[in-house]
Amino acid sequence: AAPAVTRHNFPSFVAERQTRHGTRTPVTLIAAPYGLVELVGNRVIRTYVYTTIVGVSLTADDPSGVVFHIAEVRPKPAVGGPRPPGGTQQQQQSVHPGRLYFVTSTQ
């Protein structure tokens, strides 16, 4: 069965996601009211909620390339500091990995 997000008339884009290894995977990006939904076939791979997209860049070498910079919070182990009683000390580390897509057409 198709995901619920495809039953609406949200703008969608045929694209390729480039991995860190340089391979490209065909995907569909749907601009839903709550975020950008990435589909492979009829399977939702990931949803990027708009509040976590901290930046958008266009690529200089390809006019169809766009990079979405995503704010993700990951635990960062503490180095050297005192530990709270009964547990380990962890701080939050905010990272902004980029997701590179090449948009080929709109649907």
Side-chain angles (χ1 to χ4, degrees):
V5 71
T6 61
R7 294 186 208 125
H8 301 283
N9 197 20
F10 301 138
S12 62
F13 306 90
V14 176
E16 292 179 322
R17 177 177 31 89
Q18 183 166 325
T19 67
R20 289 184 170 86
H21 303 291
T23 59
R24 291 188 181 190
T25 303
V27 299
T28 301
L29 297 173
I30 298 178
Y34 49 86
L36 197 61
V37 180
E38 179 181 347
L39 300 167
V40 172
N42 280 336
R43 192 168 145 233
V44 174
I45 299 300
R46 183 142 185 196
T47 300
Y48 303 104
V49 180
Y50 291 127
T51 57
T52 63
I53 299 174
V54 296
V56 178
S57 302
L58 302 176
T59 57
D61 57 346
D62 189 327
S64 67
V66 62
V67 178
F68 297 99
H69 302 277
I70 312 298
E72 295 180 349
V73 177
R74 298 180 185 162
K76 180 173 93 173
V79 178
R83 295 176 183 238
T88 61
Q89 180 180 5
Q90 286 190 344
Q91 299 172 346
Q92 298 296 312
Q93 176 185 19
S94 180
V95 294
H96 304 282
R99 304 288 193 270
L100 174 59
Y101 295 92
F102 294 95
V103 178
T104 55
S105 68
T106 60
Q107 295 180 338

